[in-house]
Amino acid sequence: MIDVKHVTKRFGEGQTAVTALRDISLTIPEGSFFTLLGPSGCGKTTLLRLIAGFELPTEGEITLDGDSIGHLAPNNRPVNTVFQSYALFPHMSVARNVGFGLEMLKRPKAEIEATIHEMLELVQLGEFASRRVDQLSGGQQQRVALARALAPRPKVLLLDEPLSALDLKLRKGMQSELKRLQNETGITFVFVTHDQSEALAMSDQIAVMSAGAVRQVGTPEEIYTAPQSRFVADFIGDTNIVSATLLGFEGDKASIRFGEGTPLTVQTASTSLKPGAVHVALRPETIDVVDEGADRALLRGAVVDSTYFGAGSQMLVRLDDGVAVLVQVATPRAIGARVGLECDTSMLHVLED
């Protein structure tokens, strides 16, 4: 649905210019829930504004459904935006808010009324049509904003951190609601967030961004289980970054060794890395705690902390080389105990720095 082709965006000129996006290229599939994920200042909202037409690229091109949209004003693009602030009209009823965009498009009255009814049923607010929006909860106002954005039936719906103002329980509920709406309408959703768990729960595909660049694009499972860089591994969920020695490659896999241990064959995103010191990602839930002397122990160290979190515990193990490793376990060992750490080698990934 959307192709971003070598897009760069700079604000200002000369030595004071700030580059917000650096030669970004990516494709957003039609009918997908696509998330732009990254820390504050990474450029994700700038990219969303370029798609919406609120900003223009300094270099590069954006096409929508095969057509270049760089020359189109925001109101002439087949997209709608849901903002973080909702931007509802407090003096209007829910129904008037939903129908406002259709009125501006001068749609027939009968069509407007039918669409308002359809959209309010879609977001499960049919009984609130005559209520003022300032009489609604935050979650209900969010659904009104969604209904208003969906009413003109855009090809693409852009969502700029729309759940950030909601409390945790409402956020969880709205995550399911957004995914349901996307599935039912078939509209391409482009969602901006800095919340990793939110992105993993809702998305068909995720583009992880940092410092104005796209670091990795993939499904939630690919992003989580097969990070390509240290930044992505560290940014998405809890992870451990452990030093190892790269010995070489066996086809599309890497041969590594922890300390003076036995060589292991593990996953890697790149076969262009040079032998020598590398970093390896280990997720806490993929590590098993074994006796220090067990042959299958890849790493060894001492337990220095333990935290109970309901479904289990997290232990912090200080390895013999000084690196601290977080491990998720059902039953923790005593603080000070010497332990070995085992991990399925298929879950280990050599990272590009």
Side-chain angles (χ1 to χ4, degrees):
M1 177 57 70
I2 298 173
D3 273 320
V4 179
K5 304 174 181 178
H6 300 290
V7 165
T8 293
K9 177 61 180 178
R10 286 187 290 271
F11 293 96
E13 297 180 358
Q15 295 183 344
T16 61
V18 175
T19 302
L21 297 174
R22 305 171 187 274
D23 193 26
I24 282 184
S25 294
L26 59 82
T27 297
I28 299 175
E30 182 177 0
S32 67
F33 197 119
F34 193 97
T35 296
L36 302 174
L37 172 67
S40 297
C42 71
K44 55 189 185 296
T45 294
T46 298
L47 180 54
L48 197 80
R49 290 176 62 82
L50 290 175
I51 297 170
F54 301 136
E55 304 284 352
L56 296 176
T58 306
E59 300 171 11
E61 181 186 34
I62 299 175
T63 63
L64 194 154
D65 205 13
D67 297 322
S68 177
I69 56 174
H71 64 289
L72 296 177
N75 59 306
N76 290 327
R77 300 187 181 199
V79 305
N80 252 347
T81 306
V82 178
F83 299 99
Q84 184 176 339
S85 63
Y86 310 158
L88 299 173
F89 300 109
H91 64 286
M92 291 184 182
S93 68
V94 168
R96 285 289 310 283
N97 267 278
V98 174
F100 181 79
L102 299 175
E103 291 177 10
M104 295 299 98
L105 294 171
K106 307 216 182 290
R107 300 284 175 82
K109 184 176 180 180
E111 178 187 336
I112 293 175
E113 291 179 354
T115 302
I116 290 172
H117 176 76
E118 179 186 351
M119 292 299 110
L120 289 180
E121 290 301 315
L122 184 66
V123 299
Q124 301 175 355
L125 286 177
E127 61 188 280
F128 295 90
S130 60
R131 190 171 297 188
R132 286 165 53 108
V133 295
D134 57 6
Q135 297 172 322
L136 303 181
S137 69
Q140 290 168 333
Q141 290 182 16
Q142 178 60 274
R143 283 188 276 166
V144 174
L146 286 166
R148 183 180 64 181
L150 291 168
R153 293 179 172 82
K155 290 184 177 181
V156 177
L157 185 65
L158 308 174
L159 302 109
D160 188 8
E161 303 211 44
L163 308 184
S164 60
L166 304 179
D167 62 45
L168 180 61
K169 189 171 183 180
L170 271 177
R171 282 177 76 111
K172 294 292 186 183
M174 283 305 300
Q175 288 172 17
S176 300
E177 193 77 3
L178 281 174
K179 189 59 181 172
R180 177 185 67 82
L181 289 171
Q182 195 275 322
N183 284 332
E184 290 189 14
T185 61
I187 292 173
T188 303
F189 277 28
V190 182
F191 186 83
V192 163
T193 185
H194 62 272
D195 188 314
Q196 304 97 317
S197 60
E198 196 166 81
L200 292 171
M202 300 167 63
S203 312
D204 297 319
Q205 284 195 308
I206 299 171
V208 183
M209 298 182 64
S210 170
V214 173
R215 302 299 298 270
Q216 186 173 348
V217 179
T219 66
E221 183 177 4
E222 289 168 344
I223 294 291
Y224 185 82
T225 63
Q228 295 177 357
S229 67
R230 183 168 183 170
F231 173 82
V232 174
D234 203 30
F235 186 73
I236 304 294
D238 291 328
T239 195
N240 300 295
I241 308 296
V242 180
S243 297
T245 300
L246 174 64
L247 304 175
F249 296 97
E250 299 177 8
D252 61 351
K253 295 187 177 182
S255 176
I256 66 165
R257 181 171 58 211
F258 292 112
E260 299 301 320
T262 303
L264 306 168
T265 300
V266 302
Q267 308 291 326
T268 181
S270 172
T271 57
S272 62
L273 295 170
K274 295 181 179 179
V278 292
H279 291 103
V280 179
L282 300 85
R283 295 289 182 187
E285 67 274 15
T286 68
I287 302 172
D288 290 328
V289 178
V290 298
D291 292 337
E292 179 185 13
D295 291 339
R296 63 183 188 275
L298 302 180
L299 302 162
R300 292 173 174 81
V303 179
V304 295
D305 196 12
S306 178
T307 304
Y308 176 72
F309 61 89
S313 296
Q314 284 188 332
M315 290 193 326
L316 192 65
V317 177
R318 182 78 63 187
L319 302 182
D320 292 339
D321 65 0
V323 173
V325 172
L326 193 64
V327 185
Q328 190 169 308
V329 294
T331 305
R333 302 286 183 97
I335 292 178
R338 293 283 304 176
V339 296
L341 302 181
E342 177 194 15
C343 184
D344 181 352
T345 56
S346 68
M347 303 302 294
L348 301 177
H349 289 271
V350 178
L351 304 173
E352 296 179 355
D353 287 336

